[in-house]
Amino acid sequence: MEEYRHRLMDYVREEIMPHRFCTGCGCGTVLNAFVNAVEGVGLSPAKMVCVSGIGCSSWIPSPYFRSDTLHTTHGRPIAFATGVKIMRPDLTVIVIAGDGDVAGIGGNHLIHAARRNIDLSVFMVNNMIYGMTGGQVAPTTPYGVKTSTTPHNNVEPAFKVAELVMTAGASYVARWTTYHVFPLMESMQNAIRKRGFSFIEIVSQCPDNYGRRIGLRTAVEFLHQFKEKAVRIDKTAGMSEAELADRIIIGKLCDRERPEFTAELHALTRRIVAALKQEQPA
Amino acid sequence: MAFDDNRLSYLNRLAGKRYFMLGDEACAYGAIYAGCDFIAGYPITPASEIAELLARELPRAGGICIQMEDELASIAAIIGASWTGARTMTATSGPGFSLMQENLGYAVMTETPCVVVDVQRSGPSTGQATKPAQGDMMQARWGTHGDHNIIALSPNSGQECLDLMLECFNLADEYRTPVILLMDGEIGHIRESVLMPDPEQITHKTRKAARPGEDVFGGDDLVPGMVHYGAGRNIHVTGSTHKANGMRDVTTPEVHDALIRRIYAKIDQNREKIVRVEADTDPRGPARIGVISYGASSRPARGAVLAARSEGIAVDFLRLITIWPFARTQVAEFAKDLDIILVPEMNLGQMSREIERFVDCRVQPVSKIGGIPHTIGQIHRAIREAV
Amino acid sequence: MIEIDEHLCKGCDICIEFCPLKVFEKSEKLNRKGYYVPLVACEDECVGCRLCELLCPEFAIIVTNE
């Protein structure tokens, strides 16, 4: 039999495949969609820097995606990425990290990067739990879920992260699930192409450390639930808050033109340098 | 590294001039002379003037200054930017320096050159907020977790703020490590005449480049060559324990052992090359009393030494310019014939205890906390009492 | 044509469940890591939509349209 090789294997660090994600983990599907999206936009990984933090989904780019990678401290990938992008605006800088990283410990960096509208693409894999550390409550865990640190009940509401980022000023915001892989892949392409801060919240399954706490044992059960709970944003107009409470709103929340931070910054610097040249030598 | 045209024409306007300026401002000019491309900071007294001056002047020299949302983000941004090949820095004070500690460790572990200025103020916590202190000497050494080595320099004048910034950037690039300029609020806010050097006289160390195919995180040399982002090398930078090729390996004891010992050794084994002190031994002969100080405290300390000498007390004086790695050889040599070493410092004896480890004579801190530096009289009295 | 890399498959069954044309079936075949790999049972039914390829978390499925 001919040696099997996936047509997109060049985009991953093949020497360390198979990856370490658990059976049916959504991170593998996100990696798959991401690789397809990169190929789809015709982007060379040599012109990319992928930045991640700490947690399962941060392993998607680090170590699996074959480009320059920056695997940073917990919660800080967007701040690290900001420095990379400012000094190399010609490179495509992408952050892939989890809900704990991006919306929990690093929430401040998220909203400020969105406010600046810096040209980063942030793909937040939302598995609604701290999976790598063993199933602790996350800012995205739904109300009423028992986790290892809310053993009696979670009495906190979950963050609506995509809506938060849209309000903070991002150019492009969308939410999809790991069931909606084709629109997810297309959305990633749009996010990568978008000049400005682009953000995709990817609702993903964690059968091992979240599923078992909510009675979903397998990836298959999760994907069925994502399919059933998903409601496209253009269908939500007439729906009440109560009706939407348990649904996953999917689709594009915004796609708009706003001044981009690094372009503004470099244009300003060029103007200042030019003005200095006009001055008489002091 | 040579200056680009923008930087050179900017600096040529300054060359040879003397300005009356804050230590903080001299530090900022030092960064411009050092070829700093990027600073990210967050406001905090008494360090804010560094970012303020760089926000105004650095773009005129073609560089970029931004204010981030906090100190964690500031150091994160400069580490990220450093991997593009840029010379980068941030400036803060004690509380902000505390917030930076985790990512400072990240810079140590990933061997990322960058410069962190800590203009020390009175703590812990908000403490006396705006008042100077030297309470972060040990935070600079051990603030981040895990075994590591660090380089920290301490200026005691406006001019030295500028001069040592050049050295900080050079050491960061030469040893691929974060370097700390450990100022104090007194030196940051002192206003002195500072000479702007001729840019032609400035030497910049360049980062060693990794050869094609060469590992970026290990190899035969203590300091591996670097490859910057965008070079098509698919380099993997991680704060996790990694092999010489950058790939994570957090389970093999030998991998961690080799990595951490090398990162430790690259500074430890070059200690004598890195360390700078300023010794002033009593010209009239053997002294039994020595004074060791640094930063703002070294100024009244030197005054007290001269006063004591003028009344016939023989006193040797040593100023630490390099704080970390510790000048153990120089201090031991200094202490050889002494009975007692007095250590004026604006804390409760942080460096005194370090000095104690390397000398046989008695070491006595001359501590001053409360936000007002020592007077010459206070240290002079301590010398008289030691006679 | 559908190929499955048995070395990469972790037996999550997503392909079996979500193929719109039910091309895959559970099999009795264990791979080296002890996962039951799916069987391409009705390849003739495949229309090459690639949903399985994209949903697969393991890069273990490749669909080639001939």
Side-chain angles (χ1 to χ4, degrees):
Chain A
M1 195 182 124
E2 207 181 321
E3 185 67 20
Y4 167 94
R5 191 165 183 278
H6 196 284
R7 68 192 168 86
L8 298 176
M9 244 345 155
D10 285 346
Y11 288 86
V12 301
R13 291 190 168 102
E14 190 177 0
E15 62 277 15
I16 43 175
M17 295 292 274
H19 57 60
R20 290 208 199 163
F21 299 125
C22 307
T23 296
C25 173
C27 290
T29 305
V30 175
L31 174 63
N32 194 339
F34 177 59
V35 163
N36 273 280
V38 170
E39 192 219 20
V41 294
L43 189 58
S44 163
K47 294 289 165 203
M48 296 170 69
V49 179
C50 289
V51 187
S52 71
I54 300 297
C56 300
S57 52
S58 285
W59 282 63
I60 293 170
S62 160
Y64 298 120
F65 188 73
R66 187 189 291 279
S67 72
D68 284 337
T69 27
L70 187 60
H71 174 240
T72 72
T73 48
H74 190 36
R76 316 298 162 204
I78 294 174
F80 278 85
T82 297
V84 175
K85 185 66 190 181
I86 287 171
M87 295 317 285
R88 281 300 298 269
D90 58 315
L91 299 177
T92 300
V93 182
I94 288 166
V95 173
I96 304 181
D99 46 313
D101 235 80
V102 171
I105 183 170
N108 199 29
H109 311 307
L110 174 68
I111 55 175
H112 287 283
R115 174 180 63 81
R116 292 185 187 103
N117 199 33
I118 183 168
D119 185 21
L120 304 174
S121 297
V122 177
F123 301 146
M124 185 191 84
V125 183
N126 179 5
N127 63 0
M128 297 161 276
I129 199 83
Y130 283 89
M132 186 172 269
T133 44
Q136 295 82 13
V137 70
T140 45
T141 306
Y143 183 94
V145 171
K146 292 188 170 87
T147 71
S148 69
T149 48
T150 55
H152 304 293
N153 209 0
N154 175 29
V155 293
E156 297 181 24
F159 234 142
K160 293 175 182 166
V161 187
E163 285 79 359
L164 172 77
V165 175
M166 180 177 69
T167 307
S171 273
Y172 179 94
V173 179
R175 183 190 288 111
W176 296 102
T177 82
T178 44
Y179 172 74
H180 303 88
V181 277
F182 280 110
L184 169 63
M185 182 182 72
E186 198 184 310
S187 183
M188 283 176 160
Q189 292 178 350
N190 292 334
I192 291 167
R193 286 197 194 102
K194 190 74 192 179
R195 207 167 149 77
F197 192 78
S198 53
F199 179 83
I200 304 176
E201 176 178 346
I202 306 159
V203 179
S204 177
Q205 70 273 22
C206 172
D208 278 45
N209 260 328
Y210 183 57
R212 66 186 167 94
R213 297 170 198 282
I214 57 167
L216 296 179
R217 281 285 174 179
T218 65
V220 167
E221 289 172 58
F222 260 103
L223 295 196
H224 275 300
Q225 196 201 58
F226 291 166
K227 186 181 170 184
E228 285 152 19
K229 284 193 171 183
V231 51
R232 294 192 75 106
I233 189 158
D234 47 359
K235 301 277 192 290
T236 59
M239 295 174 76
S240 69
E241 203 173 316
E243 282 176 295
L244 285 170
D246 196 37
R247 305 297 294 271
I248 302 166
I249 300 172
I250 57 166
K252 190 166 70 182
L253 279 74
C254 70
D255 187 353
R256 55 199 174 187
E257 301 307 318
R258 296 202 158 175
E260 194 276 319
F261 178 62
T262 50
E264 293 276 314
L265 200 54
H266 285 276
L268 178 65
T269 307
R270 280 194 299 274
R271 282 202 301 277
I272 294 166
V273 168
L276 188 69
K277 280 187 180 147
Q278 297 288 310
E279 279 177 31
Q280 293 297 317
Chain B
M1 194 179 90
F3 290 115
D4 65 24
D5 291 346
N6 291 336
R7 186 71 54 115
L8 194 60
S9 71
Y10 174 86
L11 292 176
N12 278 334
R13 290 162 180 255
L14 297 177
K17 297 205 172 70
R18 270 194 176 278
Y19 295 106
F20 204 53
M21 64 172 72
L22 295 176
D24 278 351
E25 293 170 334
C27 164
Y29 278 111
I32 302 176
Y33 272 98
C36 175
D37 301 295
F38 178 59
I39 169 180
Y42 186 82
I44 188 166
T45 305
S48 297
E49 291 90 344
I50 298 172
E52 284 173 350
L53 190 131
L54 285 168
R56 193 185 77 209
E57 296 299 319
L58 189 57
R60 292 157 62 92
I64 284 177
C65 175
I66 59 164
Q67 184 169 313
M68 291 296 284
E69 53 272 17
D70 56 32
E71 286 90 346
L72 297 88
S74 300
I75 186 167
I78 69 161
I79 294 169
S82 183
W83 277 96
T84 69
R87 277 194 152 186
T88 67
M89 68 169 283
T90 185
T92 187
S93 182
F97 192 47
S98 295
L99 287 175
M100 290 181 183
Q101 290 302 331
E102 186 192 9
N103 283 340
L104 190 67
Y106 181 89
V108 169
M109 190 66 154
T110 54
E111 303 181 75
T112 307
C114 58
V115 174
V116 178
V117 180
D118 174 15
V119 189
Q120 299 168 86
R121 68 186 220 183
S122 174
S125 188
T126 312
Q128 291 174 289
T130 62
K131 301 286 191 289
Q134 295 171 331
D136 302 347
M137 310 309 290
M138 283 295 161
Q139 186 184 199
R141 178 63 189 89
W142 290 116
T144 197
H145 65 285
D147 290 306
H148 65 281
N149 246 324
I150 199 87
I151 299 177
L153 310 180
S154 176
N156 84 337
S157 69
Q159 186 69 52
E160 209 174 48
C161 289
L162 188 152
D163 297 344
L164 290 189
M165 273 306 267
L166 295 166
E167 196 159 325
C168 283
F169 276 95
N170 280 343
L171 288 166
D173 277 354
E174 188 173 1
Y175 294 103
R176 256 187 80 177
T177 184
V179 174
I180 298 159
L181 186 70
L182 208 42
M183 289 168 58
D184 49 63
E186 194 63 19
I187 295 303
H189 279 174
I190 206 165
R191 203 174 274 279
E192 289 186 313
S193 165
V194 176
L195 175 67
M196 297 286 124
D198 178 355
E200 306 293 338
Q201 304 299 315
I202 304 287
T203 46
H204 289 162
K205 295 259 170 60
T206 44
R207 294 178 190 173
K208 189 170 75 177
R211 289 184 296 274
E214 192 179 39
D215 285 333
V216 180
F217 298 95
D220 297 335
D221 295 340
L222 284 175
V223 184
M226 224 172 148
V227 173
H228 297 133
Y229 285 158
R233 281 279 305 270
N234 303 322
I235 47 169
H236 187 257
V237 182
T238 176
S240 299
T241 294
H242 45 272
K243 295 178 282 195
N245 65 4
M247 299 311 289
R248 256 196 221 94
D249 180 346
V250 300
T251 49
T252 312
E254 293 76 16
V255 171
H256 186 79
D257 187 279
L259 174 68
I260 299 306
R261 285 184 194 277
R262 180 181 58 73
I263 291 177
Y264 198 91
K266 73 180 177 184
I267 291 171
D268 214 41
Q269 291 185 17
N270 287 300
R271 194 191 308 115
E272 298 310 314
K273 267 176 71 187
I274 297 168
V275 164
R276 277 181 53 194
V277 297
E278 195 177 73
D280 173 13
T281 46
D282 198 317
R284 288 165 310 177
R288 313 301 295 175
I289 302 172
V291 173
I292 300 181
S293 194
Y294 54 89
S297 323
S298 68
R299 297 172 63 133
R302 179 110 208 292
V305 165
L306 296 180
R309 283 178 190 168
S310 74
E311 44 184 49
I313 308 170
V315 191
D316 287 347
F317 180 67
L318 185 75
R319 177 165 76 95
L320 307 176
I321 298 170
T322 309
I323 303 296
W324 307 115
F326 185 66
R328 54 177 71 177
T329 321
Q330 295 76 2
V331 165
E333 174 66 26
F334 176 80
K336 232 170 33 190
D337 299 316
L338 299 176
D339 293 332
I340 183 168
I341 295 173
L342 302 174
V343 187
E345 50 184 338
M346 292 168 72
N347 57 49
L348 294 181
Q350 296 191 18
M351 294 310 288
S352 301
R353 284 190 288 273
E354 189 68 14
I355 291 166
E356 235 167 22
R357 297 173 58 213
F358 300 101
V359 302
D360 295 325
C361 67
R362 198 152 69 84
V363 177
Q364 187 181 305
V366 184
S367 292
K368 184 75 195 283
I369 59 172
I372 297 164
H374 301 81
T375 61
I376 290 176
Q378 284 165 335
I379 302 170
H380 188 189
R381 268 196 303 282
I383 295 173
R384 279 181 173 163
E385 282 161 18
V387 174
Chain C
M1 197 173 93
I2 304 166
E3 286 179 272
I4 295 172
D5 186 339
E6 295 180 3
H7 168 63
L8 291 177
C9 178
K10 289 187 190 140
C12 71
D13 295 350
I14 288 177
C15 52
I16 298 172
E17 183 74 14
F18 292 97
C19 171
L21 294 156
K22 301 290 168 208
V23 166
F24 302 93
E25 270 178 18
K26 279 184 186 280
S27 78
E28 298 293 304
K29 190 176 175 190
L30 283 170
N31 69 6
R32 274 186 303 178
K33 294 209 160 133
Y35 296 115
Y36 288 102
V37 295
L39 175 74
V40 185
C42 328
E43 195 163 346
D44 293 347
E45 299 287 316
C46 177
V47 293
C49 77
R50 293 180 183 274
L51 181 63
C52 57
E53 187 185 293
L54 198 55
L55 274 174
C56 176
E58 306 296 334
F59 288 76
I61 304 176
I62 187 160
V63 181
T64 42
N65 297 328
E66 285 165 11

